[in-house]
Amino acid sequence: MLRQIYQTRNMHVKVIKMRWMTGGVNYSYLLSTQDKTKSYLIDPAEPLEVIPALKTEEANTIEAVVNTHHHYDHSGGNGAMVAELHEIGVPQVQVICGSHSSPGATDIPKHLQEYKLGDLKVKCIRTPCHTQDSVCYYVADPQTGEKAIFTGDTLFTAGCGRFFEGTGEEMDVALNRRILDGVGEPNWDTTKVYPGHEYTKSNVKFVRQAVFKNRGENSSLDKLEQYCQKNEVTAGAFTLRDELAYNPFMRLDDPTVRDAVGDVKGSLSRAQVMEELRKMKNSM
């Protein structure tokens, strides 16, 4: 099976592709401290793809398996990963999840609860909608100033997840209040987004067809479109500030977005605009 692994320099985030051969285009991430002595393994749903991607010295540093939500393509590998880590001599492995619906969960963080991974500060931002146990993990390195957010199926580059267990209002709160407030405006420019799937190309196609239809209308979308045409992997390439520029689900009061959902008078609530956008994306 073809496996590709991409190493970024930001806080040693190793991007691991899963389920690409079967169309899932999932990501798992190994988040490590600068000295590479402590790590979290995020959403390792497919152990047969994740384990070969980890060097022995990397696996030995894993302190926790972390889930963004309970769906099987994010949490289904928890048990096998913990067993494998025990097998190679890692004595204690936490399983940090939004609820006990994730297999083997040992820690259920509250909204804005913080963990420390070496020098890294990890803030748990609960974002119920895609699932009620969805959690985004905002990570900051005070030594280097690097920041990242692992968003699972809540925030995608230029898109958002389906509202399987929530409403448009909940997704508006998740994206535009909880994530933005949890990260804090001074950090939006420097916080790289690591989503649960590689959906950027299809999201850009939707935004181009439905919202910002002409090149030059939204220069940030133009740049994103060019980037994803040349790059298969877009995880970690864009920031929260970038999302605010081109992601229609984070621009609910933009007249162009409202025009796209037929709200020419600007009379719909933000929740209604969110619902209409999602319906349009679902039918694409």
Side-chain angles (χ1 to χ4, degrees), residues 67-71 97-102 108-111 125-136 153-154 162-171 173-174 178:
N67 289 167
T68 58
H69 60 295
H70 72 264
H71 284 165
C97 314
S99 77
H100 286 288
S101 294
S102 285
I108 312 297
K110 296 179 180 178
H111 180 52
I125 303 173
R126 298 192 69 100
T127 52
C129 182
H130 179 72
T131 64
Q132 285 299 305
D133 63 359
S134 291
V135 181
C136 297
D153 289 4
T154 295
R162 292 176 183 261
F163 311 162
F164 285 131
E165 297 180 9
T167 64
E169 182 176 8
E170 284 182 306
M171 186 57 83
V173 170
R178 290 206 162 189

Side-chain angles (χ1 to χ4, degrees), residues 188-189 191-192 220-221 237-247:
W188 296 347
D189 289 308
T191 300
K192 298 292 183 69
S220 296
L221 181 67
F238 298 92
T239 68
L240 275 179
R241 181 71 74 182
D242 293 326
E243 293 302 314
L244 287 167
Y246 52 61
N247 191 327

Side-chain angles (χ1 to χ4, degrees), residues 34-264:
Q34 284 291 331
D35 61 8
K36 297 188 177 181
T37 61
K38 299 176 186 295
S39 301
Y40 279 174
L41 185 59
I42 300 170
D43 285 351
E46 299 290 347
L48 293 179
E49 295 184 80
V50 174
I51 291 169
L54 298 174
K55 299 175 183 177
T56 301
E57 57 268 30
E58 291 174 330
N60 282 325
T61 69
I62 295 172
E63 296 193 344
V65 168
V66 179
N67 289 167
T68 58
H69 60 295
H70 72 264
H71 284 165
Y72 78 94
D73 61 330
H74 295 261
S75 70
N78 289 358
M81 282 305 315
V82 170
E84 176 68 19
L85 292 171
H86 286 166
E87 183 70 22
I88 65 171
V90 181
Q92 291 186 331
V93 181
Q94 292 176 288
V95 182
I96 301 171
C97 314
S99 77
H100 286 288
S101 294
S102 285
T106 63
D107 288 68
I108 312 297
K110 296 179 180 178
H111 180 52
L112 301 183
Q113 181 175 332
E114 292 191 358
Y115 291 88
K116 286 204 72 177
L117 177 65
D119 289 337
L120 302 181
K121 296 180 179 179
V122 182
K123 183 187 291 185
C124 305
I125 303 173
R126 298 192 69 100
T127 52
C129 182
H130 179 72
T131 64
Q132 285 299 305
D133 63 359
S134 291
V135 181
C136 297
Y137 298 92
Y138 169 57
V139 185
D141 187 334
Q143 305 301 319
T144 66
E146 293 170 317
K147 304 172 189 73
I149 187 165
F150 299 88
T151 57
D153 289 4
T154 295
L155 172 63
F156 297 122
T157 305
C160 71
R162 292 176 183 261
F163 311 162
F164 285 131
E165 297 180 9
T167 64
E169 182 176 8
E170 284 182 306
M171 186 57 83
D172 183 21
V173 170
L175 295 178
N176 301 309
R177 287 174 50 191
R178 290 206 162 189
I179 288 178
L180 294 180
D181 291 349
V183 170
E185 186 170 1
N187 302 312
W188 296 347
D189 289 308
T190 52
T191 300
K192 298 292 183 69
V193 177
Y194 292 88
H197 296 262
E198 183 52 63
Y199 289 159
T200 306
K201 230 175 229 189
S202 64
N203 287 340
V204 167
K205 181 180 178 182
F206 166 70
V207 179
R208 179 64 77 198
Q209 289 181 351
V211 185
F212 303 112
K213 299 180 181 179
N214 303 307
R215 287 176 177 80
E217 191 174 357
N218 185 310
S219 60
S220 296
L221 181 67
D222 296 344
K223 292 175 184 177
L224 175 62
E225 187 173 46
Q226 292 172 358
Y227 187 90
C228 69
Q229 286 171 352
K230 297 176 181 178
N231 297 273
E232 185 180 50
V233 171
T234 64
F238 298 92
T239 68
L240 275 179
R241 181 71 74 182
D242 293 326
E243 293 302 314
L244 287 167
Y246 52 61
N247 191 327
F249 298 95
M250 300 182 79
R251 299 179 62 87
L252 300 179
D253 292 320
D254 185 331
T256 306
V257 174
R258 287 182 171 259
D259 285 349
V261 301
D263 184 31
V264 293

